[in-house]
Amino acid sequence: MNTKPEKPIQMVDLKGQYAKIKEEVDAGIRQVIDNTAFIGGPAVNGFQKNLETYLGAQHVIPCANGTDALQIALMALGLQPGDEVIVPAFTYVATAEVIALLQLKPVMTDVDRHTFNLTADIIEQAVTPRTKAVVPVHLFGQSCDMAPIMEVAHKHKLWVVEDNAQAIGADYTFPDGRVQKTGTIGHIGCTSFYPSKNLGCYGDGGAISTNDDELAAKIRMIANHGQSRRYYHDIVGVNSRLDGIQAAVLDVKLKRLDQYAQARQKAAAYYDAAFGDLPQVVIPARQPNSTHVFHQYTLLIKDGRRDALQDFLQENGIPSMIYYPVPLYKQQAFENSVGVNLEKMPATDYLCSVVLSLPMHTELDEKMLRYITQAVKRFFAH
Ligand SMILES: *Cc1c(COP(=O)(O)O)cnc(C)c1O
Protein backbone atom coordinates (compact mmCIF):
# COMPACT_ATOMS: atom_id res chain seq x y z
CA MET A 1 0.00 0.00 0.00
CA ASN A 2 2.59 2.48 1.13
CA THR A 3 5.22 1.32 -1.31
CA LYS A 4 8.77 2.44 -0.93
CA PRO A 5 9.96 4.71 -3.76
CA GLU A 6 12.59 3.07 -5.99
CA LYS A 7 15.04 5.91 -5.39
CA PRO A 8 16.50 5.91 -1.89
CA ILE A 9 15.23 8.78 0.21
CA GLN A 10 17.96 11.20 1.23
CA MET A 11 18.14 14.18 3.57
CA VAL A 12 19.50 16.13 0.60
CA ASP A 13 19.57 14.95 -3.03
CA LEU A 14 22.40 16.76 -4.77
CA LYS A 15 22.72 14.11 -7.47
CA GLY A 16 19.11 14.48 -8.60
CA GLN A 17 19.47 18.25 -8.63
CA TYR A 18 22.72 18.10 -10.61
CA ALA A 19 21.18 15.81 -13.24
CA LYS A 20 18.77 18.60 -14.20
CA ILE A 21 21.43 21.31 -14.58
CA LYS A 22 24.35 19.13 -15.65
CA GLU A 23 24.94 20.66 -19.07
CA GLU A 24 24.99 24.22 -17.79
CA VAL A 25 27.13 23.38 -14.77
CA ASP A 26 29.60 21.34 -16.79
CA ALA A 27 29.93 24.13 -19.39
CA GLY A 28 30.55 26.68 -16.61
CA ILE A 29 33.22 24.52 -14.99
CA ARG A 30 34.80 23.78 -18.38
CA GLN A 31 35.05 27.48 -19.11
CA VAL A 32 36.85 28.16 -15.83
CA ILE A 33 39.33 25.41 -16.63
CA ASP A 34 39.78 26.65 -20.20
CA ASN A 35 40.52 30.13 -18.82
CA THR A 36 42.60 28.69 -15.96
CA ALA A 37 40.96 31.39 -13.83
CA PHE A 38 40.87 29.23 -10.74
CA ILE A 39 40.93 31.93 -8.05
CA GLY A 40 39.04 35.16 -8.63
CA GLY A 41 38.58 35.95 -12.31
CA PRO A 42 35.47 36.37 -14.46
CA ALA A 43 33.38 33.56 -12.93
CA VAL A 44 33.83 34.92 -9.41
CA ASN A 45 33.27 38.53 -10.47
CA GLY A 46 30.18 37.60 -12.46
CA PHE A 47 28.66 35.62 -9.61
CA GLN A 48 29.44 38.41 -7.15
CA LYS A 49 27.54 40.92 -9.30
CA ASN A 50 24.62 38.55 -9.80
CA LEU A 51 24.37 37.89 -6.07
CA GLU A 52 24.49 41.64 -5.34
CA THR A 53 21.58 42.10 -7.71
CA TYR A 54 19.64 39.14 -6.32
CA LEU A 55 20.06 40.26 -2.71
CA GLY A 56 19.70 43.95 -3.43
CA ALA A 57 22.99 44.49 -1.59
CA GLN A 58 25.52 47.21 -2.39
CA HIS A 59 28.44 44.85 -1.84
CA VAL A 60 29.01 41.13 -1.85
CA ILE A 61 32.46 39.85 -0.92
CA PRO A 62 32.88 36.16 -1.77
CA CYS A 63 35.03 34.10 0.58
CA ALA A 64 36.06 30.53 1.31
CA ASN A 65 33.19 29.35 3.54
CA GLY A 66 30.44 30.53 5.86
CA THR A 67 32.56 30.27 8.99
CA ASP A 68 35.18 32.55 7.41
CA ALA A 69 32.40 34.94 6.43
CA LEU A 70 31.39 35.27 10.08
CA GLN A 71 34.97 35.61 11.26
CA ILE A 72 35.88 38.25 8.69
CA ALA A 73 32.68 40.18 9.44
CA LEU A 74 33.52 40.30 13.13
CA MET A 75 37.15 41.24 12.39
CA ALA A 76 35.91 44.21 10.38
CA LEU A 77 34.07 45.71 13.34
CA GLY A 78 37.20 46.68 15.26
CA LEU A 79 36.11 44.98 18.49
CA GLN A 80 38.42 44.64 21.49
CA PRO A 81 39.28 41.40 23.33
CA GLY A 82 36.61 40.69 25.92
CA ASP A 83 33.90 42.62 24.11
CA GLU A 84 30.62 40.76 24.35
CA VAL A 85 28.80 39.41 21.32
CA ILE A 86 25.28 38.05 21.77
CA VAL A 87 24.60 34.78 20.00
CA PRO A 88 21.81 32.20 20.28
CA ALA A 89 22.64 28.93 22.08
CA PHE A 90 20.49 27.02 19.57
CA THR A 91 22.51 27.21 16.36
CA TYR A 92 25.38 25.60 14.50
CA VAL A 93 28.70 25.87 16.32
CA ALA A 94 30.34 28.17 13.75
CA THR A 95 28.34 31.18 14.91
CA ALA A 96 29.83 31.13 18.40
CA GLU A 97 33.15 29.57 17.48
CA VAL A 98 34.43 32.57 15.55
CA ILE A 99 33.50 34.89 18.42
CA ALA A 100 35.57 32.85 20.88
CA LEU A 101 38.39 32.47 18.35
CA LEU A 102 38.73 36.26 18.10
CA GLN A 103 39.05 36.51 21.90
CA LEU A 104 35.62 38.08 22.09
CA LYS A 105 33.07 36.82 24.58
CA PRO A 106 30.14 34.84 23.18
CA VAL A 107 27.16 35.68 25.35
CA MET A 108 24.75 32.87 24.65
CA THR A 109 21.05 33.38 24.95
CA ASP A 110 17.88 31.39 24.71
CA VAL A 111 15.68 31.49 21.60
CA ASP A 112 11.98 31.74 20.91
CA ARG A 113 10.62 28.22 21.28
CA HIS A 114 8.20 28.56 18.36
CA THR A 115 10.37 30.13 15.68
CA PHE A 116 13.74 28.83 17.01
CA ASN A 117 15.07 32.38 16.51
CA LEU A 118 16.59 35.13 18.62
CA THR A 119 14.22 38.01 19.47
CA ALA A 120 14.68 41.66 20.35
CA ASP A 121 13.48 40.99 23.92
CA ILE A 122 15.98 38.20 24.44
CA ILE A 123 18.77 40.42 23.10
CA GLU A 124 17.79 43.34 25.32
CA GLN A 125 17.89 41.13 28.42
CA ALA A 126 21.44 40.05 27.60
CA VAL A 127 22.86 43.50 26.86
CA THR A 128 25.56 44.79 29.24
CA PRO A 129 27.84 47.83 28.94
CA ARG A 130 30.38 45.53 27.24
CA THR A 131 28.03 44.29 24.55
CA LYS A 132 29.21 45.40 21.12
CA ALA A 133 27.48 43.15 18.65
CA VAL A 134 24.76 40.58 18.11
CA VAL A 135 24.65 37.72 15.62
CA PRO A 136 21.04 36.80 14.84
CA VAL A 137 20.83 33.45 13.07
CA HIS A 138 17.97 32.98 10.61
CA LEU A 139 17.60 29.36 11.63
CA PHE A 140 16.24 26.66 9.33
CA GLY A 141 15.31 29.18 6.62
CA GLN A 142 13.29 32.01 8.06
CA SER A 143 14.27 35.48 9.17
CA CYS A 144 14.43 36.64 12.76
CA ASP A 145 12.04 39.51 13.39
CA MET A 146 14.61 42.08 12.27
CA ALA A 147 12.77 45.40 12.68
CA PRO A 148 12.65 45.25 16.50
CA ILE A 149 16.13 43.69 16.56
CA MET A 150 17.54 46.64 14.59
CA GLU A 151 15.77 49.01 16.99
CA VAL A 152 17.30 47.38 20.06
CA ALA A 153 20.68 47.33 18.33
CA HIS A 154 20.41 51.02 17.51
CA LYS A 155 19.38 51.87 21.06
CA HIS A 156 22.39 50.05 22.55
CA LYS A 157 24.81 50.88 19.71
CA LEU A 158 25.33 47.26 18.73
CA TRP A 159 26.62 45.95 15.44
CA VAL A 160 24.30 43.44 13.81
CA VAL A 161 25.91 40.58 11.86
CA GLU A 162 23.27 38.31 10.35
CA ASP A 163 24.11 34.62 10.08
CA ASN A 164 22.24 33.95 6.86
CA ALA A 165 23.83 30.55 6.16
CA GLN A 166 20.44 28.79 6.26
CA ALA A 167 18.09 31.44 4.91
CA ILE A 168 19.53 32.85 1.68
CA GLY A 169 16.60 33.96 -0.48
CA ALA A 170 14.17 34.58 2.40
CA ASP A 171 12.26 37.87 2.38
CA TYR A 172 11.65 39.94 5.49
CA THR A 173 8.82 42.50 5.48
CA PHE A 174 9.21 45.60 7.66
CA PRO A 175 6.18 47.09 9.43
CA ASP A 176 6.09 49.86 6.80
CA GLY A 177 5.78 47.26 4.04
CA ARG A 178 9.38 47.42 2.84
CA VAL A 179 10.71 43.99 1.83
CA GLN A 180 14.37 43.07 2.14
CA LYS A 181 16.34 39.88 1.67
CA THR A 182 17.83 38.37 4.79
CA GLY A 183 21.52 39.15 4.99
CA THR A 184 21.01 42.75 3.88
CA ILE A 185 19.21 44.10 6.95
CA GLY A 186 21.96 44.18 9.58
CA HIS A 187 25.31 45.95 9.13
CA ILE A 188 26.78 42.78 7.64
CA GLY A 189 25.28 39.51 6.39
CA CYS A 190 27.13 36.21 6.15
CA THR A 191 26.23 33.14 4.18
CA SER A 192 27.58 29.70 3.35
CA PHE A 193 27.62 27.83 0.07
CA TYR A 194 28.32 24.46 1.68
CA PRO A 195 26.89 21.85 -0.73
CA SER A 196 23.78 21.07 1.32
CA LYS A 197 22.84 24.72 1.92
CA ASN A 198 19.96 26.24 -0.08
CA LEU A 199 22.50 27.80 -2.45
CA GLY A 200 25.27 25.22 -2.33
CA CYS A 201 28.37 24.83 -4.48
CA TYR A 202 30.41 21.69 -5.15
CA GLY A 203 32.95 22.27 -2.42
CA ASP A 204 33.34 25.06 0.14
CA GLY A 205 32.27 28.64 -0.37
CA GLY A 206 30.78 31.63 1.41
CA ALA A 207 29.98 35.30 1.06
CA ILE A 208 29.64 38.49 3.04
CA SER A 209 27.17 41.22 2.14
CA THR A 210 26.89 44.83 3.29
CA ASN A 211 25.45 48.16 2.19
CA ASP A 212 28.23 50.08 3.96
CA ASP A 213 31.05 51.17 1.61
CA GLU A 214 33.58 51.53 4.41
CA LEU A 215 32.85 48.12 5.91
CA ALA A 216 32.94 46.58 2.44
CA ALA A 217 36.41 47.96 1.79
CA LYS A 218 37.63 46.70 5.15
CA ILE A 219 36.07 43.26 4.65
CA ARG A 220 37.62 42.96 1.21
CA MET A 221 40.99 43.90 2.66
CA ILE A 222 40.76 41.45 5.59
CA ALA A 223 39.75 38.56 3.30
CA ASN A 224 42.79 39.30 1.19
CA HIS A 225 45.69 39.28 3.69
CA GLY A 226 44.93 42.79 4.95
CA GLN A 227 46.16 44.37 1.75
CA SER A 228 44.51 47.14 -0.21
CA ARG A 229 47.36 47.18 -2.72
CA ARG A 230 49.31 44.06 -3.60
CA TYR A 231 52.17 43.45 -1.11
CA TYR A 232 51.21 46.45 1.07
CA HIS A 233 49.57 45.03 4.18
CA ASP A 234 47.73 47.59 6.30
CA ILE A 235 46.24 45.17 8.81
CA VAL A 236 46.56 41.52 9.75
CA GLY A 237 44.04 39.66 7.63
CA VAL A 238 43.30 36.15 6.47
CA ASN A 239 43.28 34.27 3.19
CA SER A 240 39.70 33.51 2.26
CA ARG A 241 38.76 33.22 -1.41
CA LEU A 242 36.06 31.66 -3.56
CA ASP A 243 37.21 29.38 -6.39
CA GLY A 244 36.24 30.11 -9.98
CA ILE A 245 34.83 26.60 -10.32
CA GLN A 246 32.58 27.09 -7.30
CA ALA A 247 31.43 30.46 -8.62
CA ALA A 248 30.51 28.86 -11.95
CA VAL A 249 28.34 26.28 -10.17
CA LEU A 250 26.79 28.93 -7.93
CA ASP A 251 25.88 31.15 -10.86
CA VAL A 252 23.88 28.33 -12.44
CA LYS A 253 22.09 27.60 -9.16
CA LEU A 254 21.49 31.24 -8.20
CA LYS A 255 19.27 31.59 -11.27
CA ARG A 256 17.14 28.78 -9.87
CA LEU A 257 17.26 29.73 -6.20
CA ASP A 258 13.67 31.00 -6.04
CA GLN A 259 12.43 27.96 -7.95
CA TYR A 260 14.37 25.75 -5.51
CA ALA A 261 12.77 27.57 -2.58
CA GLN A 262 9.35 26.92 -4.11
CA ALA A 263 10.11 23.19 -4.37
CA ARG A 264 11.08 23.20 -0.68
CA GLN A 265 7.96 25.15 0.25
CA LYS A 266 5.82 22.69 -1.65
CA ALA A 267 7.33 19.75 0.22
CA ALA A 268 6.86 21.63 3.51
CA ALA A 269 3.20 22.25 2.68
CA TYR A 270 2.75 18.51 2.05
CA TYR A 271 4.35 17.71 5.43
CA ASP A 272 2.24 20.38 7.15
CA ALA A 273 -0.98 18.99 5.74
CA ALA A 274 -0.05 15.43 6.73
CA PHE A 275 1.06 16.26 10.27
CA GLY A 276 -1.21 19.18 11.12
CA ASP A 277 -3.64 17.04 13.09
CA LEU A 278 -1.16 14.66 14.71
CA PRO A 279 -1.35 15.44 18.44
CA GLN A 280 2.20 14.15 19.08
CA VAL A 281 3.97 16.60 16.77
CA VAL A 282 4.21 20.33 16.25
CA ILE A 283 4.77 21.49 12.68
CA PRO A 284 7.24 24.34 12.10
CA ALA A 285 5.88 27.70 13.23
CA ARG A 286 6.12 30.52 10.73
CA GLN A 287 8.01 33.63 11.74
CA PRO A 288 5.70 36.59 11.22
CA ASN A 289 7.00 38.95 8.54
CA SER A 290 9.27 36.38 6.92
CA THR A 291 8.99 33.91 4.09
CA HIS A 292 10.34 30.45 4.87
CA VAL A 293 12.88 28.90 2.49
CA PHE A 294 13.00 25.64 4.47
CA HIS A 295 16.65 24.86 4.77
CA GLN A 296 15.25 22.34 7.23
CA TYR A 297 11.76 21.08 7.94
CA THR A 298 11.87 20.55 11.68
CA LEU A 299 9.17 18.92 13.76
CA LEU A 300 8.83 18.95 17.53
CA ILE A 301 8.07 15.45 18.82
CA LYS A 302 6.16 16.09 22.02
CA ASP A 303 5.47 12.61 23.36
CA GLY A 304 9.03 11.81 24.42
CA ARG A 305 9.56 9.34 21.56
CA ARG A 306 11.72 11.47 19.27
CA ASP A 307 14.64 9.04 19.26
CA ALA A 308 12.33 6.03 18.81
CA LEU A 309 10.71 7.75 15.83
CA GLN A 310 14.12 8.40 14.33
CA ASP A 311 15.03 4.70 14.71
CA PHE A 312 11.71 3.65 13.20
CA LEU A 313 12.20 5.93 10.21
CA GLN A 314 15.75 4.65 9.76
CA GLU A 315 14.46 1.06 9.71
CA ASN A 316 12.12 2.12 6.93
CA GLY A 317 14.85 3.71 4.86
CA ILE A 318 14.00 7.29 5.82
CA PRO A 319 16.86 9.44 7.09
CA SER A 320 16.26 12.21 9.61
CA MET A 321 18.55 14.48 11.62
CA ILE A 322 18.62 16.15 15.01
CA TYR A 323 19.59 19.79 14.52
CA TYR A 324 20.84 20.34 17.20
CA PRO A 325 21.26 17.72 19.91
CA VAL A 326 23.35 19.79 22.34
CA PRO A 327 22.95 23.52 23.06
CA LEU A 328 26.11 25.51 22.46
CA TYR A 329 26.31 26.62 26.07
CA LYS A 330 26.70 22.97 27.13
CA GLN A 331 29.54 22.30 24.68
CA GLN A 332 32.88 21.64 26.30
CA ALA A 333 34.58 24.04 23.87
CA PHE A 334 32.78 27.00 25.45
CA GLU A 335 33.19 25.93 29.07
CA ASN A 336 35.34 28.92 29.88
CA SER A 337 33.84 31.48 27.60
CA VAL A 338 30.08 31.34 27.96
CA GLY A 339 28.19 34.34 29.18
CA VAL A 340 25.02 35.14 31.03
CA ASN A 341 21.70 33.38 31.42
CA LEU A 342 23.23 29.96 31.90
CA GLU A 343 20.45 28.58 34.06
CA LYS A 344 17.73 30.13 31.97
CA MET A 345 17.59 28.48 28.57
CA PRO A 346 14.41 26.45 28.86
CA ALA A 347 13.46 26.83 25.20
CA THR A 348 16.88 25.81 23.91
CA ASP A 349 17.07 22.84 26.28
CA TYR A 350 13.56 21.78 25.32
CA LEU A 351 14.18 22.10 21.58
CA CYS A 352 17.36 20.01 21.72
CA SER A 353 15.33 17.19 23.25
CA VAL A 354 12.37 17.26 20.84
CA VAL A 355 13.48 18.47 17.39
CA LEU A 356 13.64 16.17 14.38
CA SER A 357 14.38 17.36 10.85
CA LEU A 358 12.89 15.36 7.98
CA PRO A 359 14.29 14.99 4.45
CA MET A 360 14.11 18.39 2.77
CA HIS A 361 15.48 19.19 -0.66
CA THR A 362 14.53 20.30 -4.13
CA GLU A 363 13.96 16.80 -5.55
CA LEU A 364 11.33 15.38 -3.19
CA ASP A 365 8.40 14.02 -5.18
CA GLU A 366 4.93 13.14 -4.04
CA LYS A 367 5.68 9.45 -3.86
CA MET A 368 8.54 10.07 -1.45
CA LEU A 369 6.55 12.55 0.60
CA ARG A 370 3.64 10.12 0.87
CA TYR A 371 5.97 7.34 1.97
CA ILE A 372 7.65 9.54 4.60
CA THR A 373 4.46 11.02 6.03
CA GLN A 374 2.70 7.66 6.15
CA ALA A 375 5.64 6.12 7.99
CA VAL A 376 5.48 8.89 10.61
CA LYS A 377 1.75 8.40 10.99
CA ARG A 378 2.17 4.61 11.28
CA PHE A 379 4.67 5.14 14.09
CA PHE A 380 2.26 7.27 16.08
CA ALA A 381 -0.66 4.91 15.42
CA HIS A 382 0.68 2.55 18.10
C1 LIG B 1 26.57 26.08 7.66
C2 LIG B 1 26.51 27.13 8.69
C3 LIG B 1 27.61 27.93 9.00
C4 LIG B 1 29.00 27.68 8.48
O1 LIG B 1 29.15 27.56 7.14
P1 LIG B 1 30.42 26.75 6.54
O2 LIG B 1 30.40 27.11 5.10
O3 LIG B 1 30.17 25.30 6.80
O4 LIG B 1 31.64 27.23 7.22
C5 LIG B 1 27.43 28.95 9.90
N1 LIG B 1 26.26 29.17 10.51
C6 LIG B 1 25.18 28.40 10.27
C7 LIG B 1 23.90 28.70 10.97
C8 LIG B 1 25.27 27.34 9.37
O5 LIG B 1 24.20 26.57 9.15
Side-chain angles (χ1 to χ4, degrees):
M1 218 175 44
N2 190 21
T3 46
K4 201 167 164 179
E6 304 89 62
K7 270 178 76 181
I9 295 175
Q10 296 170 275
M11 277 308 281
V12 176
D13 180 9
L14 295 176
K15 244 188 199 168
Q17 191 188 60
Y18 170 60
K20 293 177 181 163
I21 53 175
K22 181 172 166 37
E23 267 177 43
E24 226 178 305
V25 167
D26 290 4
I29 292 174
R30 160 106 293 157
Q31 197 171 26
V32 173
I33 298 172
D34 285 344
N35 290 338
T36 62
F38 298 120
I39 304 282
V44 174
N45 296 338
F47 169 66
Q48 176 199 315
K49 288 274 171 293
N50 291 338
L51 188 57
E52 283 167 355
T53 304
Y54 177 83
L55 292 174
Q58 289 295 313
H59 307 277
V60 163
I61 300 97
C63 64
N65 58 66
T67 308
D68 272 11
L70 288 162
Q71 179 181 330
I72 293 163
L74 288 168
M75 287 173 78
L77 300 179
L79 305 181
Q80 298 303 311
D83 282 352
E84 294 178 2
V85 180
I86 294 171
V87 59
F90 189 63
T91 178
Y92 182 58
V93 65
T95 323
E97 189 178 38
V98 295
I99 299 170
L101 202 63
L102 294 172
Q103 313 268 318
L104 305 167
K105 186 173 176 185
V107 173
M108 297 183 188
T109 66
D110 210 355
V111 294
D112 177 84
R113 70 167 63 217
H114 305 292
T115 62
F116 314 131
N117 277 336
L118 211 48
T119 67
D121 286 346
I122 293 170
I123 293 168
E124 187 133 48
Q125 280 165 30
V127 168
T128 76
R130 298 223 60 175
T131 311
K132 294 289 153 45
V134 54
V135 187
V137 181
H138 306 308
L139 205 72
F140 300 154
Q142 55 185 352
S143 180
C144 299
D145 196 1
M146 289 305 289
I149 287 178
M150 293 313 291
E151 257 171 56
V152 166
H154 188 73
K155 180 170 150 197
H156 296 282
K157 298 191 169 60
L158 310 180
W159 295 103
V160 177
V161 176
E162 298 174 70
D163 183 340
N164 195 31
Q166 300 189 1
I168 191 162
D171 286 318
Y172 177 78
T173 305
F174 283 84
D176 65 5
R178 222 164 12 104
V179 178
Q180 261 175 265
K181 291 277 179 213
T182 52
T184 68
I185 301 164
H187 301 96
I188 307 178
C190 300
T191 200
S192 162
F193 305 129
Y194 185 78
S196 63
K197 296 284 158 81
N198 287 36
L199 179 60
C201 56
Y202 292 174
D204 268 314
I208 305 158
S209 47
T210 183
N211 290 320
D212 182 315
D213 297 347
E214 236 171 88
L215 278 176
K218 195 146 179 220
I219 288 164
R220 219 166 261 126
M221 193 162 37
I222 291 167
N224 186 25
H225 295 295
Q227 63 189 350
S228 50
R229 255 198 308 158
R230 204 158 199 193
Y231 305 125
Y232 291 80
H233 304 273
D234 304 345
I235 48 180
V236 174
V238 298
N239 166 26
S240 190
R241 306 182 280 227
L242 184 69
D243 293 2
I245 287 177
Q246 302 309 336
V249 174
L250 288 165
D251 227 10
V252 175
K253 291 177 69 168
L254 177 61
K255 281 187 258 176
R256 293 166 174 84
L257 186 55
D258 288 342
Q259 179 195 319
Y260 287 160
Q262 282 161 20
R264 290 170 175 275
Q265 286 157 355
K266 209 173 145 198
Y270 192 103
Y271 282 144
D272 275 358
F275 303 141
D277 52 5
L278 270 186
Q280 297 92 341
V281 311
V282 180
I283 61 174
R286 304 306 196 265
Q287 173 85 49
N289 310 328
S290 175
T291 59
H292 200 322
V293 295
F294 286 100
H295 177 59
Q296 299 297 340
Y297 183 91
T298 303
L299 292 173
L300 309 189
I301 311 302
K302 288 192 301 182
D303 69 349
R305 293 197 289 161
R306 189 260 316 260
D307 295 353
L309 171 61
Q310 185 171 37
D311 292 344
F312 178 82
L313 293 176
Q314 191 60 52
E315 285 159 22
N316 286 279
I318 301 168
S320 62
M321 293 291 284
I322 297 170
Y323 301 118
Y324 296 93
V326 182
L328 289 190
Y329 78 95
K330 287 186 180 162
Q331 299 283 357
Q332 199 184 330
F334 299 113
E335 230 167 33
N336 299 315
S337 59
V338 288
V340 295
N341 281 346
L342 280 195
E343 288 104 78
K344 292 186 292 178
M345 300 216 201
T348 297
D349 290 343
Y350 173 70
L351 290 174
C352 288
S353 68
V354 299
V355 287
L356 190 68
S357 298
L358 296 181
M360 174 50 77
H361 53 77
T362 58
E363 310 304 313
L364 283 168
D365 60 29
E366 201 160 326
K367 202 166 172 190
M368 293 175 183
L369 290 165
R370 191 182 320 123
Y371 181 73
I372 297 166
T373 52
Q374 291 194 359
V376 171
K377 284 181 173 172
R378 206 160 65 238
F379 175 80
F380 285 118
H382 37 69

